[in-house]
Structures are given as C-alpha cells and as structure tokens.
Amino acid sequence: MKICLILLSIFFGITTYALSHSGRTNSEGCHNQRSNGTYHCHNKKNKSSSQPQRYQKSSIRIIDGDTIYIGENKIRFSGIDAPEIKQLCELNNKLIKCGVIAKDFLEKKISSNNVRCIPEKDLDRYSRILAECFINNESLSKYMVRNGYAFAFRKYSKKFIDDEEYAKTNNLGLWKTKFEFPWLTRKK
C-alpha cells in the first residue's frame, strides 16, 4: 500500500502534457483530456483560457484566503470571497485577525501539495485570473467556504451557497465569530 501511494505521488507530482493529440476541441480550443482527467485549452487568444496546470508549492505564494500567486500570475478564486488580510472579527469579546486566520487556513491546506487551476474565460476587473484551483481534485474554493473561512460570493456565483449554509449551520470557522462580510468591509 505504501509503495502504491509513493508511486501515485510521483505520478501526480510530475506534469507532462502532449504537444499534439487527436482530441476534438470546442469553439474556444478547449477539451477534456481523457488521459489525466483535466480540461485544457490550446487557444491562446485569452490569457485566462490557458490549459490547467499543476504547480509545485515552491512557485505558489498565498496572498489571502481567496488569492494566490503562481509564479507571476495572480489568481483570484472565483465564486468566493474571504476576509481582507487586515480584516478583524470578534471572538469571545476579543478582536482577532480573521483575514490572517483565513490565509493561514488556506496555506495549511496547500502545504506541500501540488495545485491545479482551471481558469475562467475572463479576467476580473483588476486583471486577475479567475480560476477554481484544486488539490488532488478537491476544490480549494469549496474547502474554504465549507470550513467557514470564506463565503459564497453570491454577486458572481451561486456555486458555493450550499457549502456556506453547511458552515453556518455547523458554526464552523468564522461563523463562530462576529464578522462583517468582506464585500461590506471593502465598501468602507
């Protein structure tokens, strides 16, 4: 079993992509690759429509609970919103740094794992790449919201509402605190 896990780790830790293949692509030059289960694009017209890639932890820098740098690319997790890095919440009548706590929670999850991101078609208004990123096929966005360290960003997506309801119902993460939603904090 241990040998099998080591071999799987080696297999998934190495990223190789064929330069050409016989697979059909959609109108944007994208398709599902059966050999590794990824969705990727060959059309380079839009910066955000490049193929999903795996990145080693050494090339990843966590900015906050919903934004990371991969190399020089700033990636904003689509469909969620995490507290701003300087945002404070109240727990047991004490102010805590909930933005830092959310960042640390994401950093711990990423740890030494490889990250794979699937970019959306468009960039956000700050020219960041919008993407859903994964570790071992687990969505980091879903993970952050379901554990209560980020919120479903309903203005842009309905995808993570059930995960937010789960965290709220079970009093997880920041739901244990008195907080202001990040989008309200930014309006001040």
Side-chain angles (χ1 to χ4, degrees):
M1 180 67 175
K2 198 173 191 178
I3 293 172
C4 188
L5 287 174
I6 292 170
L7 290 174
L8 284 173
S9 296
I10 292 169
F11 175 75
F12 285 111
I14 299 172
T15 304
T16 56
Y17 290 98
L19 295 174
S20 63
H21 52 75
S22 60
R24 292 185 183 173
T25 59
N26 64 18
S27 62
E28 295 177 342
C30 305
H31 70 99
N32 288 314
Q33 187 168 338
R34 283 180 273 173
S35 65
N36 64 9
T38 61
Y39 177 81
H40 69 266
C41 305
H42 297 274
N43 181 349
K44 300 295 181 185
K45 288 180 185 175
N46 185 331
K47 181 181 177 183
S48 67
S49 66
S50 61
Q51 72 182 28
Q53 297 182 26
R54 287 196 185 111
Y55 299 95
Q56 299 292 332
K57 171 62 179 116
S58 61
S59 69
I60 299 171
R61 196 170 82 232
I62 292 92
I63 304 304
D64 58 26
D66 60 22
T67 309
I68 61 176
Y69 266 100
I70 298 179
E72 294 179 15
N73 296 309
K74 193 172 192 178
I75 297 177
R76 171 71 158 77
F77 296 167
S78 57
I80 73 169
D81 201 6
E84 297 300 311
I85 200 70
K86 293 182 179 180
Q87 190 171 337
L88 301 175
C89 300
E90 188 179 313
L91 179 63
N92 301 325
N93 297 316
K94 294 181 182 175
L95 290 178
I96 60 168
K97 297 177 179 181
C98 52
V100 172
I101 291 168
K103 176 188 175 188
D104 291 347
F105 192 75
L106 177 61
E107 201 162 48
K108 184 177 178 184
K109 176 66 175 175
I110 290 176
S111 185
S112 61
N113 291 294
N114 294 332
V115 174
R116 179 177 59 91
C117 295
I118 301 174
E120 289 188 358
K121 183 178 178 182
D122 299 316
L123 303 176
D124 75 358
R125 65 182 178 166
Y126 302 107
S127 297
R128 295 177 295 193
I129 297 168
L130 290 168
E132 188 164 2
C133 297
F134 300 83
I135 292 176
N136 299 324
N137 294 321
E138 180 184 12
S139 166
L140 290 172
S141 297
K142 180 179 181 79
Y143 175 80
M144 292 297 289
V145 174
R146 193 163 185 86
N147 284 285
Y149 293 95
F151 308 98
F153 208 172
R154 289 171 166 85
K155 179 178 178 180
Y156 298 104
S157 174
K158 308 288 184 236
K159 187 173 183 178
F160 302 105
I161 292 174
D162 290 342
D163 299 302
E164 181 180 291
E165 290 301 320
Y166 177 85
K168 183 178 181 180
T169 300
N170 291 287
N171 205 34
L172 300 175
L174 300 176
W175 290 102
K176 297 176 194 172
T177 72
K178 291 180 185 175
F179 66 86
E180 184 173 57
F181 287 108
W183 52 87
L184 297 176
T185 298
R186 284 192 299 272
K187 283 187 176 181
K188 290 181 176 181

